[in-house]
Amino acid sequence: DIMGYQIKSLLTEREQVFKTPDNSLKNDFLKKYQIGYIYLAPKQQFATTSANLQADIVFSNFDVQIYKVRLQP
């Protein structure tokens, strides 16, 4: 338990979100944890395109991709 989060279940859920082709699951995860930005290192990627996420790319180079999540009410 770290800062009120069950870390093992959170890490398992995060891993599933990165691998799933289900865009609604990805977007629900972003909303559930109130994630404002997504930082992807060179070997990290979602199993989707940014067009299918509720996020817009705000920075990209050969080292990193950063997305800003579009907040929903």
Side-chain angles (χ1 to χ4, degrees), residues 3-28:
M3 296 179 65
Y5 290 102
Q6 298 297 320
I7 195 67
K8 285 187 179 187
S9 63
L10 177 60
L11 291 174
T12 300
E13 186 178 5
R14 184 196 67 153
E15 189 68 25
Q16 291 171 341
V17 166
F18 268 88
K19 291 180 178 179
T20 184
D22 184 344
N23 294 319
S24 63
L25 182 64
K26 287 177 180 49
N27 289 315
D28 290 345

mmCIF file with all atom_site columns, all heavy atoms in Angstrom, residues 3-28:
data_model
loop_
_atom_site.group_PDB
_atom_site.id
_atom_site.type_symbol
_atom_site.label_atom_id
_atom_site.label_alt_id
_atom_site.label_comp_id
_atom_site.label_asym_id
_atom_site.label_entity_id
_atom_site.label_seq_id
_atom_site.pdbx_PDB_ins_code
_atom_site.Cartn_x
_atom_site.Cartn_y
_atom_site.Cartn_z
_atom_site.occupancy
_atom_site.B_iso_or_equiv
_atom_site.pdbx_formal_charge
_atom_site.auth_seq_id
_atom_site.auth_comp_id
_atom_site.auth_asym_id
_atom_site.auth_atom_id
_atom_site.pdbx_PDB_model_num
ATOM 1   N N   . MET A 1 3  ? 0.592   5.359  -0.415  1.00 0.00 ? 3  MET A N   1
ATOM 2   C CA  . MET A 1 3  ? -0.253  6.551  -0.478  1.00 0.00 ? 3  MET A CA  1
ATOM 3   C C   . MET A 1 3  ? -1.720  6.210  -0.765  1.00 0.00 ? 3  MET A C   1
ATOM 4   O O   . MET A 1 3  ? -2.395  6.885  -1.521  1.00 0.00 ? 3  MET A O   1
ATOM 5   C CB  . MET A 1 3  ? 0.276   7.534  -1.512  1.00 0.00 ? 3  MET A CB  1
ATOM 6   C CG  . MET A 1 3  ? 1.650   8.078  -1.172  1.00 0.00 ? 3  MET A CG  1
ATOM 7   S SD  . MET A 1 3  ? 2.304   9.222  -2.391  1.00 0.00 ? 3  MET A SD  1
ATOM 8   C CE  . MET A 1 3  ? 1.150   10.575 -2.263  1.00 0.00 ? 3  MET A CE  1
ATOM 9   N N   . GLY A 1 4  ? -2.199  5.119  -0.186  1.00 0.00 ? 4  GLY A N   1
ATOM 10  C CA  . GLY A 1 4  ? -3.596  4.751  -0.348  1.00 0.00 ? 4  GLY A CA  1
ATOM 11  C C   . GLY A 1 4  ? -3.889  3.888  -1.564  1.00 0.00 ? 4  GLY A C   1
ATOM 12  O O   . GLY A 1 4  ? -5.025  3.509  -1.799  1.00 0.00 ? 4  GLY A O   1
ATOM 13  N N   . TYR A 1 5  ? -2.889  3.596  -2.386  1.00 0.00 ? 5  TYR A N   1
ATOM 14  C CA  . TYR A 1 5  ? -3.080  2.760  -3.567  1.00 0.00 ? 5  TYR A CA  1
ATOM 15  C C   . TYR A 1 5  ? -2.593  1.347  -3.282  1.00 0.00 ? 5  TYR A C   1
ATOM 16  O O   . TYR A 1 5  ? -1.540  1.161  -2.688  1.00 0.00 ? 5  TYR A O   1
ATOM 17  C CB  . TYR A 1 5  ? -2.304  3.309  -4.772  1.00 0.00 ? 5  TYR A CB  1
ATOM 18  C CG  . TYR A 1 5  ? -2.861  4.587  -5.322  1.00 0.00 ? 5  TYR A CG  1
ATOM 19  C CD1 . TYR A 1 5  ? -2.261  5.801  -5.034  1.00 0.00 ? 5  TYR A CD1 1
ATOM 20  C CD2 . TYR A 1 5  ? -3.985  4.574  -6.138  1.00 0.00 ? 5  TYR A CD2 1
ATOM 21  C CE1 . TYR A 1 5  ? -2.768  6.986  -5.540  1.00 0.00 ? 5  TYR A CE1 1
ATOM 22  C CE2 . TYR A 1 5  ? -4.502  5.757  -6.656  1.00 0.00 ? 5  TYR A CE2 1
ATOM 23  C CZ  . TYR A 1 5  ? -3.889  6.950  -6.353  1.00 0.00 ? 5  TYR A CZ  1
ATOM 24  O OH  . TYR A 1 5  ? -4.389  8.111  -6.853  1.00 0.00 ? 5  TYR A OH  1
ATOM 25  N N   . GLN A 1 6  ? -3.343  0.388  -3.730  1.00 0.00 ? 6  GLN A N   1
ATOM 26  C CA  . GLN A 1 6  ? -2.897  -0.999 -3.692  1.00 0.00 ? 6  GLN A CA  1
ATOM 27  C C   . GLN A 1 6  ? -1.978  -1.171 -4.899  1.00 0.00 ? 6  GLN A C   1
ATOM 28  O O   . GLN A 1 6  ? -2.440  -1.378 -6.017  1.00 0.00 ? 6  GLN A O   1
ATOM 29  C CB  . GLN A 1 6  ? -4.090  -1.954 -3.756  1.00 0.00 ? 6  GLN A CB  1
ATOM 30  C CG  . GLN A 1 6  ? -5.042  -1.822 -2.605  1.00 0.00 ? 6  GLN A CG  1
ATOM 31  C CD  . GLN A 1 6  ? -4.378  -2.158 -1.278  1.00 0.00 ? 6  GLN A CD  1
ATOM 32  O OE1 . GLN A 1 6  ? -3.588  -3.093 -1.187  1.00 0.00 ? 6  GLN A OE1 1
ATOM 33  N NE2 . GLN A 1 6  ? -4.669  -1.379 -0.259  1.00 0.00 ? 6  GLN A NE2 1
ATOM 34  N N   . ILE A 1 7  ? -0.684  -1.047 -4.692  1.00 0.00 ? 7  ILE A N   1
ATOM 35  C CA  . ILE A 1 7  ? 0.273   -0.925 -5.783  1.00 0.00 ? 7  ILE A CA  1
ATOM 36  C C   . ILE A 1 7  ? 0.296   -2.141 -6.709  1.00 0.00 ? 7  ILE A C   1
ATOM 37  O O   . ILE A 1 7  ? 0.405   -1.987 -7.920  1.00 0.00 ? 7  ILE A O   1
ATOM 38  C CB  . ILE A 1 7  ? 1.687   -0.570 -5.254  1.00 0.00 ? 7  ILE A CB  1
ATOM 39  C CG1 . ILE A 1 7  ? 2.592   -0.087 -6.385  1.00 0.00 ? 7  ILE A CG1 1
ATOM 40  C CG2 . ILE A 1 7  ? 2.310   -1.718 -4.519  1.00 0.00 ? 7  ILE A CG2 1
ATOM 41  C CD1 . ILE A 1 7  ? 2.209   1.209  -6.982  1.00 0.00 ? 7  ILE A CD1 1
ATOM 42  N N   . LYS A 1 8  ? 0.166   -3.342 -6.172  1.00 0.00 ? 8  LYS A N   1
ATOM 43  C CA  . LYS A 1 8  ? 0.201   -4.530 -7.032  1.00 0.00 ? 8  LYS A CA  1
ATOM 44  C C   . LYS A 1 8  ? -0.960  -4.538 -8.017  1.00 0.00 ? 8  LYS A C   1
ATOM 45  O O   . LYS A 1 8  ? -0.781  -4.813 -9.196  1.00 0.00 ? 8  LYS A O   1
ATOM 46  C CB  . LYS A 1 8  ? 0.220   -5.814 -6.206  1.00 0.00 ? 8  LYS A CB  1
ATOM 47  C CG  . LYS A 1 8  ? 1.556   -6.080 -5.572  1.00 0.00 ? 8  LYS A CG  1
ATOM 48  C CD  . LYS A 1 8  ? 1.589   -7.438 -4.911  1.00 0.00 ? 8  LYS A CD  1
ATOM 49  C CE  . LYS A 1 8  ? 2.967   -7.654 -4.306  1.00 0.00 ? 8  LYS A CE  1
ATOM 50  N NZ  . LYS A 1 8  ? 3.123   -8.998 -3.786  1.00 0.00 ? 8  LYS A NZ  1
ATOM 51  N N   . SER A 1 9  ? -2.150  -4.224 -7.530  1.00 0.00 ? 9  SER A N   1
ATOM 52  C CA  . SER A 1 9  ? -3.306  -4.216 -8.431  1.00 0.00 ? 9  SER A CA  1
ATOM 53  C C   . SER A 1 9  ? -3.214  -3.056 -9.417  1.00 0.00 ? 9  SER A C   1
ATOM 54  O O   . SER A 1 9  ? -3.610  -3.196 -10.577 1.00 0.00 ? 9  SER A O   1
ATOM 55  C CB  . SER A 1 9  ? -4.613  -4.169 -7.644  1.00 0.00 ? 9  SER A CB  1
ATOM 56  O OG  . SER A 1 9  ? -4.703  -2.979 -6.888  1.00 0.00 ? 9  SER A OG  1
ATOM 57  N N   . LEU A 1 10 ? -2.676  -1.926 -8.980  1.00 0.00 ? 10 LEU A N   1
ATOM 58  C CA  . LEU A 1 10 ? -2.503  -0.782 -9.884  1.00 0.00 ? 10 LEU A CA  1
ATOM 59  C C   . LEU A 1 10 ? -1.514  -1.118 -10.994 1.00 0.00 ? 10 LEU A C   1
ATOM 60  O O   . LEU A 1 10 ? -1.759  -0.812 -12.167 1.00 0.00 ? 10 LEU A O   1
ATOM 61  C CB  . LEU A 1 10 ? -2.036  0.453  -9.111  1.00 0.00 ? 10 LEU A CB  1
ATOM 62  C CG  . LEU A 1 10 ? -1.759  1.701  -9.939  1.00 0.00 ? 10 LEU A CG  1
ATOM 63  C CD1 . LEU A 1 10 ? -2.994  2.160  -10.691 1.00 0.00 ? 10 LEU A CD1 1
ATOM 64  C CD2 . LEU A 1 10 ? -1.240  2.819  -9.047  1.00 0.00 ? 10 LEU A CD2 1
ATOM 65  N N   . LEU A 1 11 ? -0.402  -1.766 -10.663 1.00 0.00 ? 11 LEU A N   1
ATOM 66  C CA  . LEU A 1 11 ? 0.584   -2.138 -11.678 1.00 0.00 ? 11 LEU A CA  1
ATOM 67  C C   . LEU A 1 11 ? 0.023   -3.159 -12.662 1.00 0.00 ? 11 LEU A C   1
ATOM 68  O O   . LEU A 1 11 ? 0.268   -3.077 -13.867 1.00 0.00 ? 11 LEU A O   1
ATOM 69  C CB  . LEU A 1 11 ? 1.861   -2.667 -11.019 1.00 0.00 ? 11 LEU A CB  1
ATOM 70  C CG  . LEU A 1 11 ? 2.687   -1.633 -10.273 1.00 0.00 ? 11 LEU A CG  1
ATOM 71  C CD1 . LEU A 1 11 ? 3.853   -2.305 -9.552  1.00 0.00 ? 11 LEU A CD1 1
ATOM 72  C CD2 . LEU A 1 11 ? 3.186   -0.534 -11.191 1.00 0.00 ? 11 LEU A CD2 1
ATOM 73  N N   . THR A 1 12 ? -0.765  -4.091 -12.156 1.00 0.00 ? 12 THR A N   1
ATOM 74  C CA  . THR A 1 12 ? -1.412  -5.082 -13.023 1.00 0.00 ? 12 THR A CA  1
ATOM 75  C C   . THR A 1 12 ? -2.393  -4.394 -13.963 1.00 0.00 ? 12 THR A C   1
ATOM 76  O O   . THR A 1 12 ? -2.414  -4.662 -15.170 1.00 0.00 ? 12 THR A O   1
ATOM 77  C CB  . THR A 1 12 ? -2.145  -6.144 -12.184 1.00 0.00 ? 12 THR A CB  1
ATOM 78  O OG1 . THR A 1 12 ? -1.190  -6.799 -11.351 1.00 0.00 ? 12 THR A OG1 1
ATOM 79  C CG2 . THR A 1 12 ? -2.852  -7.154 -13.054 1.00 0.00 ? 12 THR A CG2 1
ATOM 80  N N   . GLU A 1 13 ? -3.188  -3.484 -13.423 1.00 0.00 ? 13 GLU A N   1
ATOM 81  C CA  . GLU A 1 13 ? -4.162  -2.747 -14.239 1.00 0.00 ? 13 GLU A CA  1
ATOM 82  C C   . GLU A 1 13 ? -3.452  -1.902 -15.292 1.00 0.00 ? 13 GLU A C   1
ATOM 83  O O   . GLU A 1 13 ? -3.851  -1.871 -16.448 1.00 0.00 ? 13 GLU A O   1
ATOM 84  C CB  . GLU A 1 13 ? -5.022  -1.869 -13.332 1.00 0.00 ? 13 GLU A CB  1
ATOM 85  C CG  . GLU A 1 13 ? -6.155  -1.184 -14.038 1.00 0.00 ? 13 GLU A CG  1
ATOM 86  C CD  . GLU A 1 13 ? -7.022  -0.360 -13.093 1.00 0.00 ? 13 GLU A CD  1
ATOM 87  O OE1 . GLU A 1 13 ? -6.692  -0.239 -11.889 1.00 0.00 ? 13 GLU A OE1 1
ATOM 88  O OE2 . GLU A 1 13 ? -8.019  0.174  -13.576 1.00 0.00 ? 13 GLU A OE2 1
ATOM 89  N N   . ARG A 1 14 ? -2.378  -1.241 -14.895 1.00 0.00 ? 14 ARG A N   1
ATOM 90  C CA  . ARG A 1 14 ? -1.614  -0.411 -15.837 1.00 0.00 ? 14 ARG A CA  1
ATOM 91  C C   . ARG A 1 14 ? -1.058  -1.256 -16.972 1.00 0.00 ? 14 ARG A C   1
ATOM 92  O O   . ARG A 1 14 ? -1.126  -0.874 -18.139 1.00 0.00 ? 14 ARG A O   1
ATOM 93  C CB  . ARG A 1 14 ? -0.488  0.304  -15.110 1.00 0.00 ? 14 ARG A CB  1
ATOM 94  C CG  . ARG A 1 14 ? 0.276   1.264  -16.014 1.00 0.00 ? 14 ARG A CG  1
ATOM 95  C CD  . ARG A 1 14 ? 1.571   1.653  -15.412 1.00 0.00 ? 14 ARG A CD  1
ATOM 96  N NE  . ARG A 1 14 ? 2.433   0.479  -15.380 1.00 0.00 ? 14 ARG A NE  1
ATOM 97  C CZ  . ARG A 1 14 ? 3.734   0.524  -15.401 1.00 0.00 ? 14 ARG A CZ  1
ATOM 98  N NH1 . ARG A 1 14 ? 4.360   1.658  -15.397 1.00 0.00 ? 14 ARG A NH1 1
ATOM 99  N NH2 . ARG A 1 14 ? 4.443   -0.577 -15.383 1.00 0.00 ? 14 ARG A NH2 1
ATOM 100 N N   . GLU A 1 15 ? -0.520  -2.413 -16.652 1.00 0.00 ? 15 GLU A N   1
ATOM 101 C CA  . GLU A 1 15 ? 0.028   -3.313 -17.674 1.00 0.00 ? 15 GLU A CA  1
ATOM 102 C C   . GLU A 1 15 ? -1.053  -3.740 -18.664 1.00 0.00 ? 15 GLU A C   1
ATOM 103 O O   . GLU A 1 15 ? -0.838  -3.770 -19.877 1.00 0.00 ? 15 GLU A O   1
ATOM 104 C CB  . GLU A 1 15 ? 0.649   -4.537 -17.004 1.00 0.00 ? 15 GLU A CB  1
ATOM 105 C CG  . GLU A 1 15 ? 1.428   -5.418 -17.942 1.00 0.00 ? 15 GLU A CG  1
ATOM 106 C CD  . GLU A 1 15 ? 2.695   -4.784 -18.473 1.00 0.00 ? 15 GLU A CD  1
ATOM 107 O OE1 . GLU A 1 15 ? 3.246   -3.886 -17.818 1.00 0.00 ? 15 GLU A OE1 1
ATOM 108 O OE2 . GLU A 1 15 ? 3.135   -5.182 -19.567 1.00 0.00 ? 15 GLU A OE2 1
ATOM 109 N N   . GLN A 1 16 ? -2.240  -4.042 -18.162 1.00 0.00 ? 16 GLN A N   1
ATOM 110 C CA  . GLN A 1 16 ? -3.355  -4.420 -19.027 1.00 0.00 ? 16 GLN A CA  1
ATOM 111 C C   . GLN A 1 16 ? -3.740  -3.274 -19.950 1.00 0.00 ? 16 GLN A C   1
ATOM 112 O O   . GLN A 1 16 ? -4.031  -3.478 -21.128 1.00 0.00 ? 16 GLN A O   1
ATOM 113 C CB  . GLN A 1 16 ? -4.559  -4.847 -18.191 1.00 0.00 ? 16 GLN A CB  1
ATOM 114 C CG  . GLN A 1 16 ? -4.367  -6.138 -17.461 1.00 0.00 ? 16 GLN A CG  1
ATOM 115 C CD  . GLN A 1 16 ? -5.479  -6.428 -16.468 1.00 0.00 ? 16 GLN A CD  1
ATOM 116 O OE1 . GLN A 1 16 ? -6.217  -5.538 -16.061 1.00 0.00 ? 16 GLN A OE1 1
ATOM 117 N NE2 . GLN A 1 16 ? -5.594  -7.679 -16.061 1.00 0.00 ? 16 GLN A NE2 1
ATOM 118 N N   . VAL A 1 17 ? -3.737  -2.058 -19.422 1.00 0.00 ? 17 VAL A N   1
ATOM 119 C CA  . VAL A 1 17 ? -4.111  -0.884 -20.210 1.00 0.00 ? 17 VAL A CA  1
ATOM 120 C C   . VAL A 1 17 ? -3.122  -0.658 -21.351 1.00 0.00 ? 17 VAL A C   1
ATOM 121 O O   . VAL A 1 17 ? -3.516  -0.342 -22.470 1.00 0.00 ? 17 VAL A O   1
ATOM 122 C CB  . VAL A 1 17 ? -4.218  0.375  -19.307 1.00 0.00 ? 17 VAL A CB  1
ATOM 123 C CG1 . VAL A 1 17 ? -4.275  1.639  -20.126 1.00 0.00 ? 17 VAL A CG1 1
ATOM 124 C CG2 . VAL A 1 17 ? -5.441  0.254  -18.415 1.00 0.00 ? 17 VAL A CG2 1
ATOM 125 N N   . PHE A 1 18 ? -1.838  -0.848 -21.091 1.00 0.00 ? 18 PHE A N   1
ATOM 126 C CA  . PHE A 1 18 ? -0.838  -0.670 -22.146 1.00 0.00 ? 18 PHE A CA  1
ATOM 127 C C   . PHE A 1 18 ? -0.983  -1.710 -23.251 1.00 0.00 ? 18 PHE A C   1
ATOM 128 O O   . PHE A 1 18 ? -0.711  -1.419 -24.404 1.00 0.00 ? 18 PHE A O   1
ATOM 129 C CB  . PHE A 1 18 ? 0.577   -0.738 -21.565 1.00 0.00 ? 18 PHE A CB  1
ATOM 130 C CG  . PHE A 1 18 ? 1.128   0.602  -21.167 1.00 0.00 ? 18 PHE A CG  1
ATOM 131 C CD1 . PHE A 1 18 ? 0.902   1.108  -19.895 1.00 0.00 ? 18 PHE A CD1 1
ATOM 132 C CD2 . PHE A 1 18 ? 1.852   1.367  -22.059 1.00 0.00 ? 18 PHE A CD2 1
ATOM 133 C CE1 . PHE A 1 18 ? 1.399   2.337  -19.519 1.00 0.00 ? 18 PHE A CE1 1
ATOM 134 C CE2 . PHE A 1 18 ? 2.354   2.598  -21.702 1.00 0.00 ? 18 PHE A CE2 1
ATOM 135 C CZ  . PHE A 1 18 ? 2.129   3.091  -20.429 1.00 0.00 ? 18 PHE A CZ  1
ATOM 136 N N   . LYS A 1 19 ? -1.427  -2.912 -22.904 1.00 0.00 ? 19 LYS A N   1
ATOM 137 C CA  . LYS A 1 19 ? -1.483  -4.009 -23.879 1.00 0.00 ? 19 LYS A CA  1
ATOM 138 C C   . LYS A 1 19 ? -2.814  -4.158 -24.603 1.00 0.00 ? 19 LYS A C   1
ATOM 139 O O   . LYS A 1 19 ? -2.866  -4.730 -25.683 1.00 0.00 ? 19 LYS A O   1
ATOM 140 C CB  . LYS A 1 19 ? -1.142  -5.322 -23.188 1.00 0.00 ? 19 LYS A CB  1
ATOM 141 C CG  . LYS A 1 19 ? 0.303   -5.396 -22.759 1.00 0.00 ? 19 LYS A CG  1
ATOM 142 C CD  . LYS A 1 19 ? 0.593   -6.724 -22.082 1.00 0.00 ? 19 LYS A CD  1
ATOM 143 C CE  . LYS A 1 19 ? 2.061   -6.803 -21.693 1.00 0.00 ? 19 LYS A CE  1
ATOM 144 N NZ  . LYS A 1 19 ? 2.369   -8.064 -21.009 1.00 0.00 ? 19 LYS A NZ  1
ATOM 145 N N   . THR A 1 20 ? -3.896  -3.683 -24.029 1.00 0.00 ? 20 THR A N   1
ATOM 146 C CA  . THR A 1 20 ? -5.215  -3.915 -24.609 1.00 0.00 ? 20 THR A CA  1
ATOM 147 C C   . THR A 1 20 ? -5.464  -3.050 -25.852 1.00 0.00 ? 20 THR A C   1
ATOM 148 O O   . THR A 1 20 ? -5.047  -1.903 -25.913 1.00 0.00 ? 20 THR A O   1
ATOM 149 C CB  . THR A 1 20 ? -6.334  -3.656 -23.583 1.00 0.00 ? 20 THR A CB  1
ATOM 150 O OG1 . THR A 1 20 ? -7.586  -4.004 -24.205 1.00 0.00 ? 20 THR A OG1 1
ATOM 151 C CG2 . THR A 1 20 ? -6.407  -2.201 -23.161 1.00 0.00 ? 20 THR A CG2 1
ATOM 152 N N   . PRO A 1 21 ? -6.153  -3.606 -26.832 1.00 0.00 ? 21 PRO A N   1
ATOM 153 C CA  . PRO A 1 21 ? -6.585  -2.795 -27.970 1.00 0.00 ? 21 PRO A CA  1
ATOM 154 C C   . PRO A 1 21 ? -7.898  -2.055 -27.677 1.00 0.00 ? 21 PRO A C   1
ATOM 155 O O   . PRO A 1 21 ? -8.380  -1.285 -28.495 1.00 0.00 ? 21 PRO A O   1
ATOM 156 C CB  . PRO A 1 21 ? -6.774  -3.828 -29.079 1.00 0.00 ? 21 PRO A CB  1
ATOM 157 C CG  . PRO A 1 21 ? -7.111  -5.090 -28.358 1.00 0.00 ? 21 PRO A CG  1
ATOM 158 C CD  . PRO A 1 21 ? -6.375  -5.031 -27.052 1.00 0.00 ? 21 PRO A CD  1
ATOM 159 N N   . ASP A 1 22 ? -8.484  -2.279 -26.488 1.00 0.00 ? 22 ASP A N   1
ATOM 160 C CA  . ASP A 1 22 ? -9.761  -1.672 -26.097 1.00 0.00 ? 22 ASP A CA  1
ATOM 161 C C   . ASP A 1 22 ? -9.550  -0.212 -25.682 1.00 0.00 ? 22 ASP A C   1
ATOM 162 O O   . ASP A 1 22 ? -9.082  0.079  -24.585 1.00 0.00 ? 22 ASP A O   1
ATOM 163 C CB  . ASP A 1 22 ? -10.367 -2.473 -24.946 1.00 0.00 ? 22 ASP A CB  1
ATOM 164 C CG  . ASP A 1 22 ? -11.743 -1.972 -24.532 1.00 0.00 ? 22 ASP A CG  1
ATOM 165 O OD1 . ASP A 1 22 ? -12.125 -0.840 -24.902 1.00 0.00 ? 22 ASP A OD1 1
ATOM 166 O OD2 . ASP A 1 22 ? -12.428 -2.710 -23.819 1.00 0.00 ? 22 ASP A OD2 1
ATOM 167 N N   . ASN A 1 23 ? -9.914  0.706  -26.572 1.00 0.00 ? 23 ASN A N   1
ATOM 168 C CA  . ASN A 1 23 ? -9.697  2.138  -26.310 1.00 0.00 ? 23 ASN A CA  1
ATOM 169 C C   . ASN A 1 23 ? -10.531 2.662  -25.156 1.00 0.00 ? 23 ASN A C   1
ATOM 170 O O   . ASN A 1 23 ? -10.096 3.549  -24.424 1.00 0.00 ? 23 ASN A O   1
ATOM 171 C CB  . ASN A 1 23 ? -9.970  2.949  -27.580 1.00 0.00 ? 23 ASN A CB  1
ATOM 172 C CG  . ASN A 1 23 ? -8.973  2.626  -28.654 1.00 0.00 ? 23 ASN A CG  1
ATOM 173 O OD1 . ASN A 1 23 ? -7.790  2.473  -28.391 1.00 0.00 ? 23 ASN A OD1 1
ATOM 174 N ND2 . ASN A 1 23 ? -9.448  2.489  -29.876 1.00 0.00 ? 23 ASN A ND2 1
ATOM 175 N N   . SER A 1 24 ? -11.720 2.128  -24.963 1.00 0.00 ? 24 SER A N   1
ATOM 176 C CA  . SER A 1 24 ? -12.551 2.610  -23.852 1.00 0.00 ? 24 SER A CA  1
ATOM 177 C C   . SER A 1 24 ? -11.918 2.230  -22.508 1.00 0.00 ? 24 SER A C   1
ATOM 178 O O   . SER A 1 24 ? -11.989 3.011  -21.557 1.00 0.00 ? 24 SER A O   1
ATOM 179 C CB  . SER A 1 24 ? -13.982 2.093  -23.953 1.00 0.00 ? 24 SER A CB  1
ATOM 180 O OG  . SER A 1 24 ? -14.012 0.696  -23.860 1.00 0.00 ? 24 SER A OG  1
ATOM 181 N N   . LEU A 1 25 ? -11.268 1.076  -22.442 1.00 0.00 ? 25 LEU A N   1
ATOM 182 C CA  . LEU A 1 25 ? -10.571 0.677  -21.219 1.00 0.00 ? 25 LEU A CA  1
ATOM 183 C C   . LEU A 1 25 ? -9.413  1.634  -20.923 1.00 0.00 ? 25 LEU A C   1
ATOM 184 O O   . LEU A 1 25 ? -9.216  2.056  -19.785 1.00 0.00 ? 25 LEU A O   1
ATOM 185 C CB  . LEU A 1 25 ? -10.049 -0.757 -21.332 1.00 0.00 ? 25 LEU A CB  1
ATOM 186 C CG  . LEU A 1 25 ? -9.346  -1.319 -20.105 1.00 0.00 ? 25 LEU A CG  1
ATOM 187 C CD1 . LEU A 1 25 ? -10.305 -1.413 -18.922 1.00 0.00 ? 25 LEU A CD1 1
ATOM 188 C CD2 . LEU A 1 25 ? -8.777  -2.698 -20.415 1.00 0.00 ? 25 LEU A CD2 1
ATOM 189 N N   . LYS A 1 26 ? -8.670  2.005  -21.950 1.00 0.00 ? 26 LYS A N   1
ATOM 190 C CA  . LYS A 1 26 ? -7.572  2.962  -21.787 1.00 0.00 ? 26 LYS A CA  1
ATOM 191 C C   . LYS A 1 26 ? -8.091  4.309  -21.281 1.00 0.00 ? 26 LYS A C   1
ATOM 192 O O   . LYS A 1 26 ? -7.571  4.875  -20.327 1.00 0.00 ? 26 LYS A O   1
ATOM 193 C CB  . LYS A 1 26 ? -6.841  3.181  -23.115 1.00 0.00 ? 26 LYS A CB  1
ATOM 194 C CG  . LYS A 1 26 ? -5.981  2.034  -23.570 1.00 0.00 ? 26 LYS A CG  1
ATOM 195 C CD  . LYS A 1 26 ? -5.403  2.394  -24.925 1.00 0.00 ? 26 LYS A CD  1
ATOM 196 C CE  . LYS A 1 26 ? -4.533  1.356  -25.512 1.00 0.00 ? 26 LYS A CE  1
ATOM 197 N NZ  . LYS A 1 26 ? -5.036  0.024  -25.542 1.00 0.00 ? 26 LYS A NZ  1
ATOM 198 N N   . ASN A 1 27 ? -9.118  4.818  -21.930 1.00 0.00 ? 27 ASN A N   1
ATOM 199 C CA  . ASN A 1 27 ? -9.657  6.120  -21.563 1.00 0.00 ? 27 ASN A CA  1
ATOM 200 C C   . ASN A 1 27 ? -10.306 6.101  -20.177 1.00 0.00 ? 27 ASN A C   1
ATOM 201 O O   . ASN A 1 27 ? -10.196 7.066  -19.423 1.00 0.00 ? 27 ASN A O   1
ATOM 202 C CB  . ASN A 1 27 ? -10.625 6.614  -22.635 1.00 0.00 ? 27 ASN A CB  1
ATOM 203 C CG  . ASN A 1 27 ? -9.892  6.997  -23.907 1.00 0.00 ? 27 ASN A CG  1
ATOM 204 O OD1 . ASN A 1 27 ? -8.863  7.679  -23.866 1.00 0.00 ? 27 ASN A OD1 1
ATOM 205 N ND2 . ASN A 1 27 ? -10.391 6.553  -25.041 1.00 0.00 ? 27 ASN A ND2 1
ATOM 206 N N   . ASP A 1 28 ? -10.942 5.000  -19.827 1.00 0.00 ? 28 ASP A N   1
ATOM 207 C CA  . ASP A 1 28 ? -11.508 4.860  -18.478 1.00 0.00 ? 28 ASP A CA  1
ATOM 208 C C   . ASP A 1 28 ? -10.406 4.880  -17.418 1.00 0.00 ? 28 ASP A C   1
ATOM 209 O O   . ASP A 1 28 ? -10.564 5.478  -16.354 1.00 0.00 ? 28 ASP A O   1
ATOM 210 C CB  . ASP A 1 28 ? -12.315 3.567  -18.351 1.00 0.00 ? 28 ASP A CB  1
ATOM 211 C CG  . ASP A 1 28 ? -13.612 3.593  -19.135 1.00 0.00 ? 28 ASP A CG  1
ATOM 212 O OD1 . ASP A 1 28 ? -14.046 4.697  -19.564 1.00 0.00 ? 28 ASP A OD1 1
ATOM 213 O OD2 . ASP A 1 28 ? -14.194 2.511  -19.326 1.00 0.00 ? 28 ASP A OD2 1
#
